[in-house]
Amino acid sequence: MSEYIEHDKDGVSVGLVEKKYFTFAEPPDDMLLEGNARLGPVTIAYETLGTLNTDRSNVVLILHALSGDSHVAGYYSEDDRKPGWWEIMVGPGKGIDTDKYFVICPNIIGSCMGSTGPSSINPASGEPYGFDFPVVTIGDMVKAQKALLDHLGIKQILSVVGGSIGGMQVLEWAVRYPDMVISAIPLASTTRHSALAIAFNEVARQAIMADPNWSKGKYYDSTKPNLGLALARMVGHVTYLSDEAMRRKFGRRLQNKSDFSFNFDADFQVESYLRYQGQKFVDRFDANSFLYITKAADYFDLRRQHGSGSEAEAFAKAKASFLVISFTSDWLYPTYQSKAMVKAMKKNNLDVSFCEIEADWGHDAFLLPNERLSALIKGFLDRNFNELQKK
Amino acid sequence: MSEYIEHDKDGVSVGLVEKKYFTFAEPPDDMLLEGNARLGPVTIAYETLGTLNTDRSNVVLILHALSGDSHVAGYYSEDDRKPGWWEIMVGPGKGIDTDKYFVICPNIIGSCMGSTGPSSINPASGEPYGFDFPVVTIGDMVKAQKALLDHLGIKQILSVVGGSIGGMQVLEWAVRYPDMVISAIPLASTTRHSALAIAFNEVARQAIMADPNWSKGKYYDSTKPNLGLALARMVGHVTYLSDEAMRRKFGRRLQNKSDFSFNFDADFQVESYLRYQGQKFVDRFDANSFLYITKAADYFDLRRQHGSGSEAEAFAKAKASFLVISFTSDWLYPTYQSKAMVKAMKKNNLDVSFCEIEADWGHDAFLLPNERLSALIKGFLDRNFNELQKK
């Protein structure tokens, strides 16, 4: 996803939030991963917003994308200028109304934002895992989230919501734990990475691994592979925007110049933007986490893991109501991929609403202010909450 | 462009061809470049196919794209297994019929395939130019080609033909030397690079420049920046294909495996393909040339250089008949960009034919066998040749 959007702090916000941690799978009871490796202990960083109601029927589980974290909305302190990554959607009276719903947002395993990942200490060596960290899948991430929900005493989720790789987790939740999930909202997502999406991820990974400072993943005590990670982020940023979005945002406008430099400086604003995004990213993200999370996304294939190759069969066990949302200009996970999942859901007589939102901002559109999107999500949550109360 | 297509050598071919060289702009009469630097001496590598007719009215100038060269068709020797890059289009009886037309294909300056570029010897230092090579533009490339045509005694070009960056040169020819150009065929091209196209080029350039072996362009006596150049090529290859092309060509098929590796090997065929294309490219192409040619493409802006900001005005001096061709799945230079140039041409009452060809193969489609494309080009050339004979 793109860099977080700057907000007016005086706007409506859930306010102060606290990052919490839950650790489980202590050895010898490590967590068995899909790749048959074992991982433990496993820590999940998470944040909660709003209040759990007495019958625990108002849980909304929000799942983040590649570079996200548990900090979905609100601020860490009075001085904090930067709210969580989905501040526009999550808060009092917003699309996901924290006055009404109890929001839980966990950081995925494999990440570097508090949950166990390659930069965590490997208990076997006393040093960061680095490339000894086992490959984790979207299924493994969801399995770890389930342990967190068990720990919190949550037996039923009103809605699982997430975009992009967060949307993959949404789908995995609905299929893996059908009795827990009342409703699910996968946004700008897919049941399986296309060759194009894999190709972009592979280029980004190769950029990191080609950086001599990557040192096969053992760089935590030395210079970090910042050039490689910045490049990987630049590749990502191109895929998050659309041709139209880039034309509107940058066009061929020059950077502080009236003419070309006739050298290899950043002449165009789009070049300067990409360099800046790349450089900014290295301060907050771990290169190995980028490798592991993109690999998990590439491996994700709902029909392979749950449907013996059939997309319809993959949803055979699902029980949730779905709200599937795609964006017209998203060329990373184009609408036809959302339509394919909707078709598979319908074959299983699931309650599915589908909406393709007209948006020029490419894959990133799900993170940007959009009244229609907020209204859709709000309406869907309220309907599912009201129906649940009637039962 | 993609790697050359393998051909059956027994097919119809122009046969043996020879690479020739023409050197001009000897100091102190160096060539003045658009960026106000001077370059000299300038060598142009070129190849000719077919026979120049007595009234010199059958010249077809073919201009290549980023990684192309003067070797447009035919073979260098009896043992040569690899024909020129447009063998499917150029030869006896083909779309560009060498029995009828005299084909000239020069290598662009800035390249590394025989014409003067950053890997050429800088007379001032006796060493390869490296990053001391001046930035050249599409206009500079065309100006150098004009010197070659003057040298060959060619005063009139029946048709200038080229795809992608070759298409930019086609447009530049038509606008810069309107009295010489009877007709012009820009394929899968644009009058100006979009922010998206600049973004991809910038990521590719940063990949090269982030490779420590790049050494600010001074690597000709030492280890070359192969990792960076391979990455740059991988970025390029993703943009040459389309989502649909990649799905058909690779889908999610695994590479020699029945299951995931759960490590960072190339699991998917598309990963393996990209790595292979990247590695293969470094044997035949120079990293600095990649930097210079992509920069020239990014700078290309017909309305800025020739139209005071207006696309219609940019074509005001052009006299050629145009055949503009785009491909449905080309997302590097999408059809709307070809339509914009067609509109601008029509505003100047130019004779324009436009065709969007249904093709799933993305930007690379112009290089792939396509009977419709061959027939279109053949018909257009013949019409222009016949009309010229009548005059």
Side-chain angles (χ1 to χ4, degrees):
Chain A
M1 67 180 75
S2 276
E3 206 37 56
Y4 303 166
I5 303 146
E6 298 295 336
H7 290 272
D8 177 7
K9 198 171 169 189
D10 300 327
V12 178
S13 173
V14 70
L16 296 187
V17 292
E18 184 198 350
K19 194 162 175 172
K20 289 164 264 191
Y21 299 88
F22 163 59
T23 298
F24 70 105
E26 303 282 355
D29 298 319
D30 322 51
M31 181 177 160
L32 179 63
L33 303 173
E34 259 185 78
N36 279 321
R38 303 191 74 95
L39 180 68
V42 176
T43 295
I44 304 280
Y46 67 101
E47 293 174 34
T48 62
L49 301 81
T51 309
L52 184 60
N53 61 6
T54 46
D55 63 353
R56 305 188 163 214
S57 62
N58 70 337
V59 173
V60 175
L61 179 65
I62 299 181
L63 304 169
H64 69 76
L66 175 54
S67 63
D69 57 22
S70 59
H71 192 40
V72 63
Y75 298 83
Y76 284 142
S77 71
E78 292 294 345
D79 302 331
D80 193 356
R81 296 296 310 152
K82 203 170 107 177
W85 55 269
W86 219 8
E87 178 76 7
I88 52 154
M89 182 62 75
V90 182
K94 295 185 183 178
I96 298 173
D97 187 349
T98 50
D99 285 343
K100 195 164 179 183
Y101 302 113
F102 179 63
V103 168
I104 306 171
C105 183
N107 179 221
I108 53 177
I109 59 169
S111 181
C112 51
M113 300 296 189
S115 293
T116 302
S119 58
S120 304
I121 297 298
N122 180 353
S125 67
E127 291 180 10
Y129 280 101
F131 229 42
D132 291 330
F133 193 76
V135 166
V136 293
T137 63
I138 299 291
D140 294 329
M141 294 170 184
V142 166
K143 193 173 164 185
Q145 289 158 4
K146 168 70 161 56
L148 170 66
L149 268 72
D150 289 346
H151 162 71
L152 296 174
I154 307 292
K155 292 189 167 55
Q156 197 176 51
I157 303 168
L158 175 66
S159 204
V160 199
V161 189
S164 192
I165 293 176
M168 296 178 188
Q169 297 163 57
V170 167
L171 295 170
E172 183 77 26
W173 259 103
V175 164
R176 189 179 276 252
Y177 305 112
D179 293 325
M180 278 184 79
V181 179
I182 305 295
S183 73
I185 312 179
L187 297 139
S189 195
T190 184
T191 58
R192 57 209 302 247
H193 252 195
S194 66
L196 183 75
I198 295 171
F200 278 120
N201 275 349
E202 172 66 2
V203 173
R205 283 191 295 264
Q206 291 293 317
I208 290 170
M209 292 161 79
D211 187 328
N213 290 330
W214 178 64
S215 311
K216 300 199 171 176
K218 278 183 86 73
Y219 53 75
Y220 293 103
D221 286 338
S222 54
T223 309
K224 291 180 179 175
N226 286 347
L227 288 175
L229 180 58
L231 266 173
R233 182 62 166 176
M234 289 170 73
V235 172
H237 263 281
V238 182
T239 67
Y240 304 150
L241 291 166
S242 65
D243 183 30
E244 173 68 19
M246 293 180 103
R247 192 161 53 245
R248 287 201 191 181
K249 194 172 173 125
F250 309 108
R252 290 180 57 83
R253 281 190 291 284
L254 298 176
Q255 178 73 5
N256 306 323
K257 280 176 221 159
S258 59
D259 201 2
F260 297 153
S261 66
F262 288 99
N263 61 37
F264 288 83
D265 290 347
D267 283 284
F268 296 99
Q269 284 180 12
V270 64
E271 294 176 301
S272 169
Y273 168 82
L274 287 174
R275 289 186 191 183
Y276 173 72
Q277 292 295 341
Q279 282 155 14
K280 200 167 58 163
F281 191 56
V282 302
D283 294 331
R284 71 173 185 90
F285 212 76
D286 175 48
N288 283 333
S289 281
F290 196 100
L291 298 176
Y292 280 87
I293 299 171
T294 55
K295 193 74 182 178
D298 288 352
Y299 275 1
F300 183 66
D301 186 346
L302 210 66
R303 67 179 86 166
R304 180 189 170 97
Q305 301 301 106
H306 296 285
S308 313
S310 151
E311 185 128 334
E313 203 178 317
F315 287 102
K317 288 183 190 160
K319 296 178 178 174
S321 318
F322 288 91
L323 171 60
V324 177
I325 294 172
S326 71
F327 298 88
T328 48
S329 58
D330 182 354
W331 54 270
L332 194 56
Y333 306 136
T335 290
Y336 76 81
Q337 296 181 15
S338 284
K339 282 187 176 164
M341 76 174 82
V342 167
K343 195 174 166 189
M345 290 164 178
K346 284 189 173 164
K347 275 195 183 160
N348 289 286
N349 296 313
L350 291 164
D351 171 27
V352 192
S353 305
F354 167 63
C355 183
E356 181 185 32
I357 293 182
E358 283 278 347
D360 288 335
W361 300 101
H363 180 60
D364 260 359
F366 77 94
L367 289 167
L368 299 172
N370 185 312
E371 280 185 25
R372 180 146 185 240
L373 178 62
S374 295
L376 268 171
I377 291 179
K378 194 184 191 72
F380 181 77
L381 290 180
D382 288 351
R383 171 167 75 83
N384 278 280
F385 182 70
N386 293 341
E387 281 174 11
L388 190 62
Q389 297 307 309
K390 282 182 206 153
K391 278 177 190 168
Chain B
M1 68 180 72
S2 275
E3 206 37 57
Y4 304 164
I5 302 145
E6 298 294 337
H7 290 274
D8 176 7
K9 200 171 165 186
D10 299 328
V12 177
S13 175
V14 70
L16 295 188
V17 292
E18 186 198 348
K19 194 164 177 172
K20 289 165 267 193
Y21 299 89
F22 163 60
T23 297
F24 69 106
E26 302 282 354
D29 299 320
D30 321 49
M31 180 176 160
L32 179 64
L33 302 173
E34 258 184 79
N36 279 320
R38 303 191 73 94
L39 180 67
V42 176
T43 295
I44 303 280
Y46 68 101
E47 295 175 32
T48 62
L49 302 80
T51 310
L52 184 62
N53 60 8
T54 47
D55 62 354
R56 302 187 167 215
S57 62
N58 69 336
V59 173
V60 175
L61 179 64
I62 299 181
L63 303 169
H64 68 74
L66 175 54
S67 63
D69 56 21
S70 59
H71 192 40
V72 63
Y75 298 84
Y76 284 141
S77 71
E78 292 294 346
D79 302 330
D80 193 355
R81 297 295 310 153
K82 204 170 107 177
W85 56 268
W86 219 8
E87 178 76 8
I88 52 155
M89 182 63 74
V90 183
K94 296 184 183 177
I96 299 173
D97 187 350
T98 51
D99 285 343
K100 195 164 179 184
Y101 301 113
F102 179 63
V103 168
I104 305 172
C105 182
N107 179 221
I108 54 178
I109 59 170
S111 179
C112 52
M113 300 297 189
S115 292
T116 302
S119 58
S120 304
I121 297 299
N122 179 355
S125 66
E127 292 181 9
Y129 280 100
F131 229 43
D132 290 331
F133 193 76
V135 165
V136 294
T137 64
I138 299 290
D140 294 328
M141 294 171 184
V142 165
K143 193 173 166 185
Q145 290 158 5
K146 168 70 162 53
L148 170 67
L149 267 72
D150 289 346
H151 161 73
L152 296 174
I154 308 291
K155 293 190 169 54
Q156 196 176 53
I157 304 168
L158 174 66
S159 203
V160 200
V161 189
S164 191
I165 292 175
M168 297 178 188
Q169 297 162 59
V170 167
L171 296 170
E172 183 76 26
W173 259 101
V175 164
R176 190 179 274 252
Y177 305 111
D179 293 325
M180 278 184 78
V181 179
I182 305 294
S183 73
I185 312 179
L187 297 138
S189 195
T190 185
T191 58
R192 58 208 303 247
H193 252 197
S194 66
L196 182 75
I198 295 171
F200 277 121
N201 275 349
E202 172 66 2
V203 173
R205 283 192 295 267
Q206 290 294 316
I208 290 170
M209 292 161 80
D211 187 329
N213 289 329
W214 178 65
S215 310
K216 299 196 173 179
K218 280 182 85 73
Y219 53 76
Y220 294 104
D221 286 337
S222 53
T223 309
K224 291 180 179 173
N226 286 347
L227 287 174
L229 180 57
L231 266 174
R233 182 62 167 176
M234 289 170 73
V235 172
H237 262 281
V238 181
T239 68
Y240 305 151
L241 290 166
S242 64
D243 184 30
E244 173 68 19
M246 292 181 104
R247 194 161 51 246
R248 287 200 193 182
K249 193 171 173 126
F250 309 108
R252 290 182 55 85
R253 281 189 291 284
L254 299 176
Q255 179 73 6
N256 306 322
K257 280 176 221 161
S258 58
D259 200 1
F260 296 154
S261 68
F262 288 99
N263 60 38
F264 288 83
D265 289 349
D267 283 286
F268 296 100
Q269 285 181 11
V270 65
E271 294 175 302
S272 167
Y273 169 82
L274 287 175
R275 291 186 190 184
Y276 173 73
Q277 292 296 341
Q279 283 156 14
K280 199 166 61 164
F281 191 57
V282 302
D283 293 332
R284 72 174 184 88
F285 212 76
D286 175 46
N288 283 334
S289 281
F290 196 99
L291 297 177
Y292 279 85
I293 300 172
T294 54
K295 192 75 181 175
D298 288 351
Y299 274 0
F300 183 65
D301 185 347
L302 210 67
R303 67 179 85 166
R304 179 189 171 97
Q305 300 300 107
H306 297 284
S308 312
S310 150
E311 185 128 337
E313 203 178 317
F315 287 102
K317 289 183 189 159
K319 296 177 177 174
S321 318
F322 287 91
L323 171 61
V324 178
I325 294 173
S326 71
F327 297 89
T328 48
S329 58
D330 182 353
W331 55 270
L332 194 56
Y333 306 137
T335 289
Y336 76 83
Q337 295 181 15
S338 285
K339 282 187 176 165
M341 74 173 83
V342 167
K343 195 175 166 189
M345 290 163 177
K346 284 189 173 165
K347 275 193 182 162
N348 289 286
N349 295 314
L350 291 164
D351 171 28
V352 191
S353 305
F354 167 63
C355 183
E356 181 185 31
I357 293 182
E358 282 278 347
D360 289 334
W361 300 101
H363 180 62
D364 260 358
F366 78 94
L367 290 167
L368 299 173
N370 185 314
E371 280 185 24
R372 182 149 182 236
L373 178 62
S374 296
L376 269 172
I377 291 179
K378 194 184 190 72
F380 181 78
L381 290 180
D382 288 352
R383 170 167 76 83
N384 279 282
F385 182 71
N386 293 340
E387 281 173 12
L388 190 62
Q389 297 307 308
K390 280 181 209 153
K391 282 178 187 167

